[in-house]
Amino acid sequence: MKILASLALFLLLNSFLSVAQTGSPTFLQKNQKWVDSVFASLTPDERIAQLIMIPAVSDVKRALIDPKASNPAMVEKLIRENKVGGVVFFQGGPVPQGRLTNHYQSISKVPLLVAMDAEFGLAMRIDSTVRYPYQMTLGAIQGNNDLIYEMGAQLARQAKRLGMHINFAPVADVNNNPNNPVISFRSFGENKFKVADKAVAYMKGMQDNGLLTSAKHFPGHGDTGVDSHLDLPVIAHDVTRIDSLEMYPFRALISNGISGIMIAHLSIPALDKTPNLPSTLSKPIVTDILRNQLGFDGLIYSDAMNMKGVTKYFPDGKADAMGLEAGMDILEFTEDVNKSIAEIKKSVAEGRISQAEIDERCKKVLMAKAWAGLDRYKPVDMNNLYEDLNPKSAELINRLLTEKALTVLKNDNNLLPLRDLDTLKIASVSLGADTVTTFQKTLGLYTTVDHFFVPAKATEAQIAAVKANLKNYNLLLVGVHLGSISPKTNYGLTEQMNAVLQDLIATNKAVVSIFGNPYSLNKIEKAANAKALIMAYQLTNYTQDLSAQLIFGAIPASGKLPVTVNAQFPYNAGIETPAIGRLKYTIPEELGLDSKIITYKIDSIANLAVTQQATPGCVVQLAKDGKVFFRKAYGKHTYEGAAPVKLTDLYDLASVTKITASTLALMSLWDQKKFDLDATMKDYLPDFAKSNKADLEWRKVLTHSARLKAFIVLWKEAQNPDGSWKKKTFATKQSKRYPTSVVGDSLFIFKDYDQTIFKAIRDSPLNEKEGYVYSDLSFILYPQIVKSLSGENFEDYLKNHYYHKLGANTLTFNPKRFYKLEDIVPTERDTFFRMTQLHGQVHDEAAAMLGGLSGHAGLFGDANDVMKVWQMYLQQGYYGGQQLLSKDALLEFTRYQYPETGSRRGIGFDKPTFKYSGNAPKYASPSSFGHTGYTGIMTWADPAWNLNYVFLSNRVYPTRENGKISTLNIRTSIMDVVYQELLKK
């Protein structure tokens, strides 16, 4: 048997030799002159010390807890007295670490190598820094290795900014043991080829940008059930399995020039039969296989030498000497530097390792230092450190990686992405949360969603209350928020959470999103019974935000499981789902714009509006290519009030009603061939047959070129000379004859007064000359035309066919029916007609006299919902997987109708003048279209740039006499900021 085992090992080593492809690390032979000079200045003891890296922390509390190893005073002593080669930082913060790094470097004879375990970013160890996705999350991504490369590049730049030179990453372990307590989410998955490809991309991103790397944990820690921090794991596989699987990613990394490899603390009898000998201390593994057979000539690091996997059987510094004898170059986290150096010197004296070998490794370490820039050392610049470590580019790569990883594991009847929003009554339930979550907030951007949450250790009363409230919903969007990544803690899935989840799944109306380790699926008995199931891999704001966007089809799903969970959820499981044209919410950088510049410039303009009292407050929302990249609220509801403007506040849209309601309905009827633009007014308004307007063509009417008067002061027509109201006009008390409020409970209008208004419009004189005169009059008539042609009331038609389908449910007339006053921004203090503060009732007098519902004014809504309508316009009638309007309708209604006459108007829509006049953004294209509203509103869409802009304000508070919003060019200037930045690209 011994002969057979020896033969097998011999064949294994030869197989390694035959397939090894070496790509020498680029740090070798770097600045030999500096290396030789520094080396010559070192004593034999100091050359040994260059091979030792000690732990350090910048967290004061941790330093007090662990004074022996990482207390700054102890670290300083070891640097001064022993001349150690480097430090490995653990817990702390960026500013304290930067200061400590500068101090340690200032007292070191030779510049120190500074390292960190930053597998998923600096945030793995220090606060206030970027956290990238776990490697398991990245393993779900199909292709897109360029994104992983870019993540490595970003991390390298951040690490170098903090004075770091080595990242102990990537993890190249193939995780094929679901119960692995220490690797698991740190691995790219169970497929060796994909682990290799992604590890190489990550490594190259770091090394190409000046950061040394160390793949770990050779020869493979993926199939262990023991944590090597606590004990010595045993790998019982034969040599063929280890060669073909565990070592495959390491060979790929070596052939691609990785600079370092870290050795694991594992007992592997197939490779070294010495009892209880960690691989870290095994010469057959470190030297014979890794160095000689695989041809790796970079730096070989130990895993932390204080871990029980090595100290259990080799305490008191003996392991450090044995590690160097085995072939390692650098000892990480040596427990006792003085004992280690003494044991290493003893080893040299006894001939177990030669001084020449020590010297060779010392020179290699110095070469790595030179490559990392330590031959021209500069201290960490403490200015703007926090800002530099948290660039927006890192947020972008985080968002893109997360988006590509999200995995749909179940999708009954193609439920996802959600369509037909008008048929859904939706509740969201966050399990394991104490308040409304990021997941729920993003869900609410798409349609009306009522939110509930169940804490991790909820009481029976809390659970019962939530269940009782969910009975009236036909769709449940469930987020499972797992606060742990370890199998020891059941991944954070408590009994209460699991029980509630099973009940929700049993309703047969649950879409479940798991924010946690994919192996947690094995703890959810009926996970496969969910109507739809999304694996998000971890609990972050990015996974929650983007999972919600996936559910509504703003982004597609393309991820696949990187590991086998069980028979129901095998490796590579994943269902692709499409994007269906709903708004995506992101950051400017995804569109090639700079957040700082965009934010600074828009803030300057919006804050100018507030400080100059052009408006008490406003909301700005911008999108490009269907991606909302800017959403911000400014100021307050009123100058003297305390209520800040919220993104969800409803504003009186004034004349934007014309093109977000009336024109929308007319386009719809035009599509159905029920409304002809070249028909005349008498065709749809029989009462107009004998009027001076009988033969006016709708095309001209809708372009404000049909000689209609601009407006009629209708409320004045109802007044006697002494200021009292004429009969059958207004009353101060509500009754059957005066049923409709004009404002509050103080003024009510006669039940048939709308007919008086329509008659006044019908009988009004025409302008003497032809030409452009902006008029409200025809728009007042469109609700009755829509009802006549469709058989539905105007508001019902809009809500049933458009607003509810778009998820734009805040768009409504008379909003006090549905919303609290604190969620509606007030407008003018009316001192001439209604004699009160207008709040939640339409500002326009004529619309108020029509009960708050008219085609020219009266619509309220928030910025996000207004943008949905306009995004449908930009997408030529398509939104949410439905073609709600024809392309022809959008092209016809938004084009210039009479350019030969100098008219700038489309059908209903405003367009840029042929010579800049300020009605539109300066850089708007001729294909753009939009409208402004009297209360301080602006919406504008530009197909040439695929831009969508919504600006909401209440500039008429407290009086309409305030025209600063226009004289300061607030509305158009904000959109011009975006044009200017795009023109720079």
Side-chain angles (χ1 to χ4, degrees), residues 361-518:
R361 295 177 200 180
C362 177
K363 288 181 179 180
K364 187 186 290 188
V365 169
L366 293 174
M367 288 176 197
K369 289 186 175 186
W371 183 90
L374 287 171
D375 57 346
R376 51 194 184 283
Y377 164 74
K378 292 181 180 179
V380 177
D381 182 356
M382 300 305 297
N383 293 317
N384 300 313
L385 182 59
Y386 171 82
E387 292 79 4
D388 292 346
L389 292 177
N390 292 275
K392 277 291 182 178
S393 54
E395 181 179 346
L396 174 61
I397 199 68
N398 247 322
R399 297 187 70 88
L400 295 176
L401 289 167
T402 301
E403 178 181 332
K404 299 295 184 184
L406 296 176
T407 304
V408 175
L409 294 172
K410 182 84 182 296
N411 194 20
D412 282 356
N413 300 316
N414 293 315
L415 176 62
L416 300 180
L418 297 179
R419 296 173 171 84
D420 302 321
L421 298 184
D422 53 325
T423 68
L424 301 176
K425 186 174 183 183
I426 306 174
S428 72
V429 187
S430 283
L431 303 180
D434 299 66
T435 186
V436 174
T437 62
T438 298
F439 176 60
Q440 293 175 304
K441 290 175 183 177
T442 303
L443 291 172
L445 293 175
Y446 290 98
T447 190
T448 302
V449 180
D450 295 327
H451 304 309
F452 304 91
F453 52 88
V454 178
K457 295 185 178 180
T459 64
E460 289 185 10
Q462 286 175 310
I463 293 171
V466 170
K467 286 182 180 179
N469 282 318
L470 296 179
K471 293 178 180 178
N472 295 324
Y473 298 88
N474 61 6
L475 184 67
L476 308 178
L477 302 179
V478 182
V480 183
H481 300 258
L482 300 180
S484 173
I485 51 180
S486 172
K488 289 182 180 179
T489 58
N490 219 34
Y491 305 104
L493 186 68
T494 64
E495 290 184 12
Q496 293 95 324
M497 290 168 63
N498 208 345
V500 174
L501 179 56
Q502 299 302 327
D503 289 344
L504 296 178
I505 290 173
T507 65
N508 200 35
K509 51 187 179 182
V511 173
V512 178
S513 299
I514 308 290
F515 303 110
N517 193 310

Side-chain angles (χ1 to χ4, degrees), residues 323-349:
L324 292 186
E325 293 168 20
M328 288 191 297
D329 296 307
I330 294 180
L331 304 167
E332 182 210 351
F333 211 139
T334 295
E335 277 199 299
D336 190 317
V337 172
N338 288 306
K339 283 185 180 180
S340 294
I341 292 175
E343 287 292 335
I344 294 166
K345 289 172 67 176
K346 182 179 177 183
S347 180
V348 172

Side-chain angles (χ1 to χ4, degrees), residues 619-677:
V619 175
V620 177
Q621 184 157 325
L622 284 150
K624 175 173 168 51
D625 302 335
K627 299 171 183 176
V628 179
F629 64 88
F630 192 92
R631 299 179 70 226
K632 196 166 182 179
Y634 300 85
K636 298 182 293 185
H637 282 198
T638 63
Y639 294 113
E640 67 279 5
V645 176
K646 307 183 297 296
L647 288 170
T648 53
D649 283 336
L650 277 69
Y651 278 80
D652 182 336
L653 301 180
S655 285
V656 168
T657 302
K658 292 181 173 74
I659 35 76
T660 308
S662 293
T663 304
L664 171 57
L666 293 178
M667 282 192 284
S668 179
L669 294 168
W670 184 86
D671 266 343
Q672 300 170 51
K673 302 189 185 308
K674 293 180 178 180
F675 181 77
D676 184 352
L677 288 168

